[in-house]
Amino acid sequence: MPRVSGGDLVVRLLQQAGVDRMFGINGAHIDAVYQAALDHRLPIVDTRHEMNAGHAAEGYARVRNALGVALLTAGGGFTNAVTSMANAHLDRTPVLYLAASGPLADDQTNTLQAGLDQVAIATPVTKWAHRVTRASLIPRVLARAIRTALAAPRGPVLVDIPWDVLTEQIDLPDLAAELLRGGDHGPGLSHAGAEQILDLLAQARRPVIIAGSEVPRSGADDELRTLAERLGIPLMADYEGLGAITPSPLNFGLLQGLHGLPPGGEPDLVIMAGLRFGLTTAHGSGVLIPRAARVVQIDPSAGELGLLQPVSLSVAADPLPVFQDLNRALTLRQAVGPDPTGWQAALRAHLRRRREAVASQVVHDERVHPYEAVCAIAAALPDRSVVVADGALTYLWLSEAISEAPVSAFLCHGYLGSMGVGMGVALGARAAVAPGTNVVLVTGDGSVGYSLGEFDSMVRAGLAVVVVVLNNRAWGATLHAQELMHGKDRVVNNRLENGSYAAAALALGADGYQVRALDELAPALAKALLSGRPSCVEVHVSLDPIPPEERVITGGSPF
Ligand code: TPP
């Protein structure tokens, strides 16, 4: 019987679970995993900050709809990744954080990187956190952690393994006993439940289906589009659901487009598919999900159902089996509902008016207008691109243009609203996609500054992310907030007028492009996308313009 280390068991089990790449920074405590990964040819992308190893594992998980893995050494390696854990927790992203810790044998001796209870720190920001105390327990605990992360509602887990457990040698156990369950989404709808939803659809004159994060997470994209296309129902999405609906002719873009529909012209039935109330639904205000509408909410977490607005029907389930059941039930019925084409045309006209209103407010100064910049970016994106957004004004401007773009995923900073997630998420997404799929990060100059070192990681790992920095020489959104709340003379600690991000990228071995006029942007993007190299396209944009959704956040209407 071969003898193997705890680290070796970790790698064997992760490969058994389908993991083909991990992210991390090496350290002596975690090195047994690195040595085993070398033996078993499991690649590890090394980042320049553990926050970004965590965010990269998130990006990988969000693009693949599979488990992401971050390797963290003890102490600071672990604490540096806590922001990512919190982000994954709020976004329900299945990430395994595998953290080494001080040797069990040296417990309570004030030794290096060991005086922390990492499980206690991780507990409030994970679905499950556990320490392994013997190498023989690694397969069972790790398999349990992975099952927990991938079971809906999904989320991050921490497994803490002390150094001397990772290096402990034991006889190779039968890992088949720990075979990991996969693809079990739980039950969908009863026959009566499916009929009830189809009846609601048959009665609706202005129905809309809104896709949230759990549509791609559960792999329900095709079933969702099939149902919508069979019935002619407009599809909308929050940022995480956008990639699921873009291939459809019934893609009506981000749900912020519902704002400002005339009374009597609003949806009368909203199907929330894996969408939670909160940040992306204007909370429970009714501005986007009309209070007069009937609402069907489908989400794997029962606690989310009807959280901020009353719903007519709630389904505690993953979207995949629910839409499978609806498609099956529909096959057995006659055609349902009124002709949807009038409603589709009215909604299209409304969205066109919104775009015209944004464009009509563009006032030129000596810098590129951010709205024109994001329109040029959206127009330049090749089919099925993954787009990552970071920075606040930057994201809000991008949200006005991204619905028109052929994205396969649109990954934003999410519920934690944590600036600086973008470089890590984009790096992980690039490691997850098939060769030839483009990954473009659109970020603010403030946000990119957290992680400039990751240009080096991208170069060393050959991960060709195109990073577009909308440089307005400020922490833009917080500067706007100071101006609005306290006056222009009270702006403090929000200016960033030093340095060049394209030059920083060049210094780290990536390519750099400067864009000072709108007509330079499309050629620079085309060059960067074609080059197959990590690159930074630095666009010098105006700071003053207020994006429509910033007006909404500050309590106004978009125009
Ligand atoms: N720190 C973190 C980690 N997250 C935050 N959300 C903030 C601080 C507060 N904050 C919100 S928006 C913002 C800051 C600092 C400014 C973002 O500036 P930038 O990345 O340049 O993007 P812009 O708004 O200019 O597009």
Side-chain angles (χ1 to χ4, degrees), residues 390 420 423 441 443-453 455 467 469 501 536:
D390 198 354
M423 289 290 273
L441 164 65
T443 178
D445 48 328
S447 294
V448 79
Y450 284 96
S451 301
L452 286 169
F455 279 114
V467 179
V469 180
Y501 303 94
C536 176

PDB file of all heavy atoms in Angstrom, residues 390 420 423 441 443-453 455 467 469 501 536:
ATOM      1  N   ASP A 390     -15.842  46.597 -12.414  1.00  0.00           N
ATOM      2  CA  ASP A 390     -15.384  47.043 -11.090  1.00  0.00           C
ATOM      3  C   ASP A 390     -15.396  48.572 -11.141  1.00  0.00           C
ATOM      4  O   ASP A 390     -15.460  49.168 -12.214  1.00  0.00           O
ATOM      5  CB  ASP A 390     -13.974  46.483 -10.837  1.00  0.00           C
ATOM      6  CG  ASP A 390     -13.584  46.498  -9.362  1.00  0.00           C
ATOM      7  OD1 ASP A 390     -14.336  47.034  -8.540  1.00  0.00           O
ATOM      8  OD2 ASP A 390     -12.513  45.947  -9.051  1.00  0.00           O
ATOM      9  N   GLY A 420     -12.346  46.762  -6.099  1.00  0.00           N
ATOM     10  CA  GLY A 420     -11.062  46.079  -6.220  1.00  0.00           C
ATOM     11  C   GLY A 420     -11.167  44.587  -6.466  1.00  0.00           C
ATOM     12  O   GLY A 420     -10.149  43.912  -6.554  1.00  0.00           O
ATOM     13  N   MET A 423      -9.740  42.643 -10.755  1.00  0.00           N
ATOM     14  CA  MET A 423      -8.544  42.006 -11.335  1.00  0.00           C
ATOM     15  C   MET A 423      -8.523  40.516 -11.013  1.00  0.00           C
ATOM     16  O   MET A 423      -8.236  39.683 -11.865  1.00  0.00           O
ATOM     17  CB  MET A 423      -7.269  42.679 -10.811  1.00  0.00           C
ATOM     18  CG  MET A 423      -7.034  44.075 -11.352  1.00  0.00           C
ATOM     19  SD  MET A 423      -6.602  44.118 -13.114  1.00  0.00           S
ATOM     20  CE  MET A 423      -4.829  43.920 -13.044  1.00  0.00           C
ATOM     21  N   LEU A 441     -12.107  43.219 -18.507  1.00  0.00           N
ATOM     22  CA  LEU A 441     -12.436  43.887 -17.239  1.00  0.00           C
ATOM     23  C   LEU A 441     -12.571  45.376 -17.514  1.00  0.00           C
ATOM     24  O   LEU A 441     -11.670  45.985 -18.101  1.00  0.00           O
ATOM     25  CB  LEU A 441     -11.312  43.645 -16.216  1.00  0.00           C
ATOM     26  CG  LEU A 441     -11.287  44.562 -14.984  1.00  0.00           C
ATOM     27  CD1 LEU A 441     -12.524  44.367 -14.107  1.00  0.00           C
ATOM     28  CD2 LEU A 441     -10.016  44.306 -14.154  1.00  0.00           C
ATOM     29  N   THR A 443     -12.949  48.782 -15.442  1.00  0.00           N
ATOM     30  CA  THR A 443     -12.760  49.150 -14.030  1.00  0.00           C
ATOM     31  C   THR A 443     -12.438  50.632 -13.875  1.00  0.00           C
ATOM     32  O   THR A 443     -12.000  51.294 -14.819  1.00  0.00           O
ATOM     33  CB  THR A 443     -11.644  48.276 -13.410  1.00  0.00           C
ATOM     34  OG1 THR A 443     -11.430  48.675 -12.051  1.00  0.00           O
ATOM     35  CG2 THR A 443     -10.336  48.393 -14.151  1.00  0.00           C
ATOM     36  N   GLY A 444     -12.632  51.122 -12.663  1.00  0.00           N
ATOM     37  CA  GLY A 444     -12.235  52.486 -12.347  1.00  0.00           C
ATOM     38  C   GLY A 444     -10.752  52.537 -11.983  1.00  0.00           C
ATOM     39  O   GLY A 444     -10.132  51.513 -11.679  1.00  0.00           O
ATOM     40  N   ASP A 445     -10.206  53.750 -11.998  1.00  0.00           N
ATOM     41  CA  ASP A 445      -8.785  53.903 -11.668  1.00  0.00           C
ATOM     42  C   ASP A 445      -8.539  53.629 -10.187  1.00  0.00           C
ATOM     43  O   ASP A 445      -7.493  53.098  -9.805  1.00  0.00           O
ATOM     44  CB  ASP A 445      -8.251  55.286 -12.078  1.00  0.00           C
ATOM     45  CG  ASP A 445      -9.136  56.439 -11.645  1.00  0.00           C
ATOM     46  OD1 ASP A 445     -10.378  56.262 -11.590  1.00  0.00           O
ATOM     47  OD2 ASP A 445      -8.610  57.533 -11.357  1.00  0.00           O
ATOM     48  N   GLY A 446      -9.528  53.945  -9.339  1.00  0.00           N
ATOM     49  CA  GLY A 446      -9.374  53.615  -7.929  1.00  0.00           C
ATOM     50  C   GLY A 446      -9.320  52.105  -7.732  1.00  0.00           C
ATOM     51  O   GLY A 446      -8.401  51.563  -7.115  1.00  0.00           O
ATOM     52  N   SER A 447     -10.296  51.422  -8.293  1.00  0.00           N
ATOM     53  CA  SER A 447     -10.416  49.977  -8.060  1.00  0.00           C
ATOM     54  C   SER A 447      -9.233  49.193  -8.602  1.00  0.00           C
ATOM     55  O   SER A 447      -8.765  48.243  -7.969  1.00  0.00           O
ATOM     56  CB  SER A 447     -11.715  49.455  -8.676  1.00  0.00           C
ATOM     57  OG  SER A 447     -12.804  50.016  -7.985  1.00  0.00           O
ATOM     58  N   VAL A 448      -8.732  49.564  -9.776  1.00  0.00           N
ATOM     59  CA  VAL A 448      -7.627  48.788 -10.348  1.00  0.00           C
ATOM     60  C   VAL A 448      -6.367  48.925  -9.494  1.00  0.00           C
ATOM     61  O   VAL A 448      -5.517  48.032  -9.461  1.00  0.00           O
ATOM     62  CB  VAL A 448      -7.361  49.185 -11.820  1.00  0.00           C
ATOM     63  CG1 VAL A 448      -6.566  50.476 -11.933  1.00  0.00           C
ATOM     64  CG2 VAL A 448      -6.647  48.054 -12.562  1.00  0.00           C
ATOM     65  N   GLY A 449      -6.293  50.039  -8.752  1.00  0.00           N
ATOM     66  CA  GLY A 449      -5.098  50.290  -7.950  1.00  0.00           C
ATOM     67  C   GLY A 449      -4.871  49.286  -6.840  1.00  0.00           C
ATOM     68  O   GLY A 449      -3.749  49.094  -6.380  1.00  0.00           O
ATOM     69  N   TYR A 450      -5.941  48.612  -6.398  1.00  0.00           N
ATOM     70  CA  TYR A 450      -5.768  47.599  -5.350  1.00  0.00           C
ATOM     71  C   TYR A 450      -4.858  46.462  -5.823  1.00  0.00           C
ATOM     72  O   TYR A 450      -4.248  45.782  -5.012  1.00  0.00           O
ATOM     73  CB  TYR A 450      -7.117  46.950  -5.001  1.00  0.00           C
ATOM     74  CG  TYR A 450      -8.051  47.770  -4.156  1.00  0.00           C
ATOM     75  CD1 TYR A 450      -9.058  48.527  -4.728  1.00  0.00           C
ATOM     76  CD2 TYR A 450      -7.949  47.754  -2.763  1.00  0.00           C
ATOM     77  CE1 TYR A 450      -9.940  49.255  -3.952  1.00  0.00           C
ATOM     78  CE2 TYR A 450      -8.827  48.468  -1.978  1.00  0.00           C
ATOM     79  CZ  TYR A 450      -9.818  49.230  -2.580  1.00  0.00           C
ATOM     80  OH  TYR A 450     -10.686  49.935  -1.789  1.00  0.00           O
ATOM     81  N   SER A 451      -4.852  46.219  -7.111  1.00  0.00           N
ATOM     82  CA  SER A 451      -4.328  44.934  -7.585  1.00  0.00           C
ATOM     83  C   SER A 451      -3.492  45.047  -8.850  1.00  0.00           C
ATOM     84  O   SER A 451      -3.497  44.141  -9.687  1.00  0.00           O
ATOM     85  CB  SER A 451      -5.511  43.986  -7.854  1.00  0.00           C
ATOM     86  OG  SER A 451      -6.249  43.817  -6.682  1.00  0.00           O
ATOM     87  N   LEU A 452      -2.750  46.138  -8.995  1.00  0.00           N
ATOM     88  CA  LEU A 452      -1.948  46.291 -10.217  1.00  0.00           C
ATOM     89  C   LEU A 452      -0.961  45.141 -10.388  1.00  0.00           C
ATOM     90  O   LEU A 452      -0.617  44.758 -11.504  1.00  0.00           O
ATOM     91  CB  LEU A 452      -1.198  47.625 -10.200  1.00  0.00           C
ATOM     92  CG  LEU A 452      -2.086  48.852 -10.456  1.00  0.00           C
ATOM     93  CD1 LEU A 452      -1.334  50.138 -10.151  1.00  0.00           C
ATOM     94  CD2 LEU A 452      -2.594  48.845 -11.891  1.00  0.00           C
ATOM     95  N   GLY A 453      -0.505  44.575  -9.269  1.00  0.00           N
ATOM     96  CA  GLY A 453       0.456  43.473  -9.329  1.00  0.00           C
ATOM     97  C   GLY A 453      -0.060  42.281 -10.108  1.00  0.00           C
ATOM     98  O   GLY A 453       0.722  41.452 -10.584  1.00  0.00           O
ATOM     99  N   PHE A 455      -1.244  42.225 -13.005  1.00  0.00           N
ATOM    100  CA  PHE A 455      -0.771  42.207 -14.399  1.00  0.00           C
ATOM    101  C   PHE A 455       0.398  41.228 -14.516  1.00  0.00           C
ATOM    102  O   PHE A 455       0.521  40.506 -15.500  1.00  0.00           O
ATOM    103  CB  PHE A 455      -0.341  43.606 -14.861  1.00  0.00           C
ATOM    104  CG  PHE A 455      -1.491  44.475 -15.289  1.00  0.00           C
ATOM    105  CD1 PHE A 455      -1.823  45.612 -14.572  1.00  0.00           C
ATOM    106  CD2 PHE A 455      -2.240  44.155 -16.422  1.00  0.00           C
ATOM    107  CE1 PHE A 455      -2.890  46.415 -14.958  1.00  0.00           C
ATOM    108  CE2 PHE A 455      -3.303  44.957 -16.821  1.00  0.00           C
ATOM    109  CZ  PHE A 455      -3.633  46.087 -16.087  1.00  0.00           C
ATOM    110  N   VAL A 467      -7.800  44.738 -19.743  1.00  0.00           N
ATOM    111  CA  VAL A 467      -8.260  45.566 -18.619  1.00  0.00           C
ATOM    112  C   VAL A 467      -8.478  46.992 -19.126  1.00  0.00           C
ATOM    113  O   VAL A 467      -7.527  47.664 -19.525  1.00  0.00           O
ATOM    114  CB  VAL A 467      -7.213  45.575 -17.486  1.00  0.00           C
ATOM    115  CG1 VAL A 467      -7.685  46.452 -16.323  1.00  0.00           C
ATOM    116  CG2 VAL A 467      -6.911  44.154 -17.015  1.00  0.00           C
ATOM    117  N   VAL A 469      -9.338  50.627 -18.161  1.00  0.00           N
ATOM    118  CA  VAL A 469      -9.452  51.504 -16.984  1.00  0.00           C
ATOM    119  C   VAL A 469     -10.101  52.813 -17.422  1.00  0.00           C
ATOM    120  O   VAL A 469      -9.558  53.527 -18.266  1.00  0.00           O
ATOM    121  CB  VAL A 469      -8.060  51.791 -16.379  1.00  0.00           C
ATOM    122  CG1 VAL A 469      -8.202  52.711 -15.159  1.00  0.00           C
ATOM    123  CG2 VAL A 469      -7.362  50.497 -15.985  1.00  0.00           C
ATOM    124  N   TYR A 501      -1.901  54.027 -15.459  1.00  0.00           N
ATOM    125  CA  TYR A 501      -2.182  52.599 -15.289  1.00  0.00           C
ATOM    126  C   TYR A 501      -1.649  51.790 -16.466  1.00  0.00           C
ATOM    127  O   TYR A 501      -1.168  50.667 -16.276  1.00  0.00           O
ATOM    128  CB  TYR A 501      -3.686  52.404 -15.043  1.00  0.00           C
ATOM    129  CG  TYR A 501      -4.084  53.215 -13.841  1.00  0.00           C
ATOM    130  CD1 TYR A 501      -4.585  54.521 -13.978  1.00  0.00           C
ATOM    131  CD2 TYR A 501      -3.844  52.739 -12.555  1.00  0.00           C
ATOM    132  CE1 TYR A 501      -4.863  55.293 -12.869  1.00  0.00           C
ATOM    133  CE2 TYR A 501      -4.128  53.504 -11.441  1.00  0.00           C
ATOM    134  CZ  TYR A 501      -4.630  54.783 -11.596  1.00  0.00           C
ATOM    135  OH  TYR A 501      -4.880  55.561 -10.499  1.00  0.00           O
ATOM    136  N   CYS A 536      -3.617  46.666 -20.814  1.00  0.00           N
ATOM    137  CA  CYS A 536      -4.361  47.722 -20.124  1.00  0.00           C
ATOM    138  C   CYS A 536      -4.672  48.815 -21.127  1.00  0.00           C
ATOM    139  O   CYS A 536      -3.764  49.393 -21.724  1.00  0.00           O
ATOM    140  CB  CYS A 536      -3.524  48.292 -18.974  1.00  0.00           C
ATOM    141  SG  CYS A 536      -4.342  49.670 -18.146  1.00  0.00           S
TER     142      CYS A 536
END
